[in-house]
Amino acid sequence: MECENCKLEMVNLFDSNVNPANYATIMLHIQQCPSCQSDFEKAKAVATMLKPQNQPSAPILLKQNIMNQLKMEEEKMKTQEVKKVNLNSRFAKIIGVAAAVVLIMVAIPIVDNTTNVFNHSARAANSFIEGSIRATQYIKSMVINLKVRTDAYDNFSLVGTKYELVNHKIFKTFASPAKWRVEKPGRTVVFDGTNQLIHIAKVNSYLKAPAGYNVTEYFQILLEPEKVLAKEQNIIKSDGSKFIMDEKNGQVYLTITSNAKGNFINDYTKNSSIDESDNRREYIFDKETKLLKGLRIFILEGKKETLIVEIESIDYNVDISENLFSLNLPNGAAWQELNQVATSEIFRNISSKRAAELFFEGLSKSNWQLASQTFQLLNSNTDGAKRIKENYGGLTLVRLGEPFKSGQYPGEYIPYEVKLKSGKTIKHNLAMRNDNPNKVWVVDGGF
Ligand SMILES: [Zn+2]
């Protein structure tokens, strides 16, 4: 395949109905051609930013604990008919086209001025947004202190009204290459200019992922302040979110109210992330410098509002120690690479339920060769892998329920009940996805 064709047809990879033969041809070229690979990474990054269900596979383990935090309801174990919903493949394709031309870098007017001549607020918003994009090009560094209602030890996108507010810090230098660090008590991610380095305290794991992986999830928007408004503009345009812009005491207030996104025929993941909640986002910008000064996000449940995210301070152009942009490996620890492509033959061309059954069979017989084909962590020598083998090896599978989809998760949840050799019974939903090049089912979390 020629580069020119590849760059044109790359768009089709973002369509969930892509022809598998085409997919394979394009991927083969991308894997061999650095130029197309770089374009593909960019397209993926933009697609991720615009529509989370197109994100490249989130690393295994990161979502592990989400499901532990959500109570599994008994009725989910019963057979239930879950309608299959085709998640908007046409929209995905349009996003892909946009991604290919990196349209996102250019401000897209919220409304067409010729048809909405009298819409003062929208026009004011457009001009402010364009000014803000220019202003942020002059930032050299930034430090954000914020609080998020989440589990300190879980992935970055998990939020919930029942959690405590947890302190987070974001550091970024906009030098070339840009570097950043996002941290909370149980988890740190550093981008050192080449790789994303992740430390997960709970399982004491050190992971390494390429630049294109979506590890920081929701925080991507704050890591790229120049894109905050462009992204919000796109959301307003694409889903009709309501917005109000106001100006007071030298500050500009932009308030956006959105409905939960995703498929909630089964509402298992409702309100477990910001996008999957009805929410209101209140931005404050400095009118003069046009820089972001504050943000508060609320989850809305009927008349009840819960503060979920609050920026306490943002400082621009401060000195940041270079040490913060590296992560040191303790003696005896090793990086676990997250860029391995799943290649298992056993875990493809089967249903998610069968894949879950095989995974539990592996755990039950302590057959790590089998279980690690769908859960790569088991191949590593990490504390996390050891702990899982000790706790879950020799378990008994009591029952499996019918798989269901929920929210924006690109895979499926499979309800299960197991009995550990310690005698403890666990009922949860195993999260599995197969949105990878070889369509292999991989375990994402939920145990
Ligand atoms: Zn090429």
Side-chain angles (χ1 to χ4, degrees):
M1 171 171 251
E2 304 284 331
C3 282
E4 201 179 321
N5 265 337
C6 177
K7 288 183 202 303
L8 276 174
E9 298 214 355
M10 204 180 277
V11 165
N12 296 320
L13 299 185
F14 295 90
D15 189 330
S16 56
N17 292 331
V18 60
N19 166 323
N22 263 346
Y23 185 93
T25 316
I26 300 168
M27 280 315 286
L28 187 68
H29 178 87
I30 287 174
Q31 277 157 9
Q32 293 161 351
C33 169
S35 161
C36 289
Q37 187 165 23
S38 154
D39 281 13
F40 181 58
E41 289 302 327
K42 275 183 215 151
K44 266 203 311 199
V46 176
T48 301
M49 192 174 90
L50 290 173
K51 203 162 172 23
Q53 65 249 38
N54 290 322
Q55 70 191 23
S57 296
I60 287 167
L61 232 207
L62 297 187
K63 292 192 191 291
Q64 177 172 339
N65 296 311
I66 276 197
M67 270 51 74
N68 295 340
Q69 304 299 335
L70 298 169
K71 282 224 176 69
M72 197 199 69
E73 295 146 48
E74 192 60 26
E75 61 263 33
K76 303 237 168 81
M77 293 297 292
K78 294 176 198 152
T79 305
Q80 57 178 4
E81 206 184 314
V82 179
K83 285 181 218 157
K84 286 242 165 66
V85 174
N86 185 0
L87 284 168
N88 248 334
S89 69
R90 201 170 297 157
F91 181 66
K93 188 157 184 170
I94 292 165
I95 295 302
V97 175
V101 297
V102 202
L103 194 63
I104 186 65
M105 295 303 292
V106 182
I108 303 156
I110 290 172
V111 291
D112 180 350
N113 284 348
T114 57
T115 54
N116 291 276
V117 182
F118 301 105
N119 193 333
H120 172 74
S121 183
R123 278 191 293 153
N126 284 341
S127 110
F128 186 79
I129 288 166
E130 280 156 31
S132 177
I133 290 170
R134 279 195 298 275
T136 44
Q137 286 166 0
Y138 299 102
I139 311 173
K140 291 194 179 66
S141 67
M142 143 186 114
V143 178
I144 305 180
N145 282 294
L146 71 158
K147 286 184 187 298
V148 181
R149 214 174 276 287
T150 184
D151 179 336
Y153 293 93
D154 211 301
N155 65 324
F156 281 110
S157 72
L158 175 70
V159 298
T161 55
K162 302 276 183 337
Y163 296 109
E164 300 290 318
L165 286 163
V166 174
N167 286 317
H168 290 57
K169 259 179 183 283
I170 298 174
F171 303 88
K172 182 166 183 183
T173 165
F174 294 81
S176 185
K179 298 175 184 176
W180 49 257
R181 177 187 188 97
V182 178
E183 61 179 36
K184 61 178 179 177
R187 195 163 288 218
T188 303
V189 184
V190 166
F191 180 61
D192 64 6
T194 312
N195 286 304
Q196 297 185 81
L197 309 172
I198 306 140
H199 178 233
I200 301 177
K202 203 173 206 167
V203 290
N204 202 24
S205 289
Y206 289 84
L207 315 175
K208 187 185 265 190
Y213 264 64
N214 179 7
V215 176
T216 49
E217 305 184 272
Y218 173 73
F219 288 87
Q220 286 190 337
I221 191 167
L222 293 177
L223 281 167
E224 300 180 308
E226 72 277 22
K227 292 180 190 163
V228 166
L229 280 167
K231 180 178 176 184
E232 291 293 4
Q233 255 182 325
N234 272 299
I235 292 172
I236 292 166
K237 273 191 81 167
S238 66
D239 71 3
S241 290
K242 293 195 197 87
F243 77 99
I244 301 168
M245 203 166 102
D246 219 352
E247 205 186 296
K248 222 166 28 196
N249 306 327
Q251 298 196 309
V252 173
Y253 297 80
L254 179 66
T255 301
I256 304 162
T257 310
S258 296
N259 294 327
K261 291 190 181 66
N263 157 13
F264 295 106
I265 289 169
N266 185 313
D267 65 1
Y268 180 54
T269 59
K270 186 91 187 274
N271 294 342
S272 67
S273 71
I274 291 165
D275 276 347
E276 289 163 316
S277 315
D278 293 340
N279 71 81
R280 186 176 71 244
R281 309 183 290 288
E282 302 179 351
Y283 291 96
I284 305 172
F285 297 88
D286 185 285
K287 190 182 175 229
E288 204 58 31
T289 65
K290 302 200 164 50
L291 295 176
L292 181 67
K293 300 302 273 179
L295 167 64
R296 294 200 300 170
I297 302 178
F298 296 85
I299 283 187
L300 313 175
E301 295 165 286
K303 286 197 171 143
K304 194 178 141 216
E305 303 189 341
T306 311
L307 180 68
I308 290 292
V309 175
E310 179 165 37
I311 288 185
E312 299 190 302
S313 66
I314 305 187
D315 294 300
Y316 295 102
N317 299 328
V318 289
D319 288 330
I320 302 173
S321 161
E322 191 64 22
N323 292 338
L324 285 172
F325 302 121
S326 58
L327 206 60
N328 295 324
L329 209 54
N331 280 340
W335 293 111
Q336 188 197 339
E337 299 274 350
L338 286 176
N339 60 354
Q340 302 160 15
V341 177
T343 53
S344 169
E345 284 298 324
I346 301 174
F347 284 91
R348 55 187 298 214
N349 295 324
I350 54 175
S351 68
S352 62
K353 188 176 182 180
R354 175 67 186 140
E357 192 178 23
L358 284 168
F359 172 61
F360 285 119
E361 184 186 317
L363 296 180
S364 145
K365 295 180 177 158
S366 297
N367 179 347
W368 309 124
Q369 194 275 337
L370 175 63
S372 66
Q373 291 185 47
T374 188
F375 190 55
Q376 284 181 6
L377 176 78
L378 294 172
N379 269 333
S380 74
N381 229 345
T382 59
D383 288 353
K386 281 178 210 153
R387 213 169 305 173
I388 288 169
K389 288 177 182 176
E390 274 162 31
N391 291 339
Y392 293 88
L395 61 71
T396 308
L397 177 61
V398 180
R399 55 190 174 140
L400 278 181
E402 288 309 308
F404 64 92
K405 290 177 88 72
S406 184
Q408 297 197 316
Y409 185 59
E412 293 180 4
Y413 297 100
I414 306 101
Y416 70 86
E417 180 179 338
V418 295
K419 195 167 179 190
L420 303 184
K421 61 174 188 270
S422 68
K424 191 177 163 194
T425 292
I426 299 182
K427 289 183 193 174
H428 276 306
N429 296 323
L430 191 68
M432 298 191 84
R433 61 198 289 175
N434 69 344
D435 56 338
N436 48 59
N438 299 323
K439 307 241 182 259
V440 173
W441 286 104
V442 294
V443 171
D444 227 2
F447 75 96

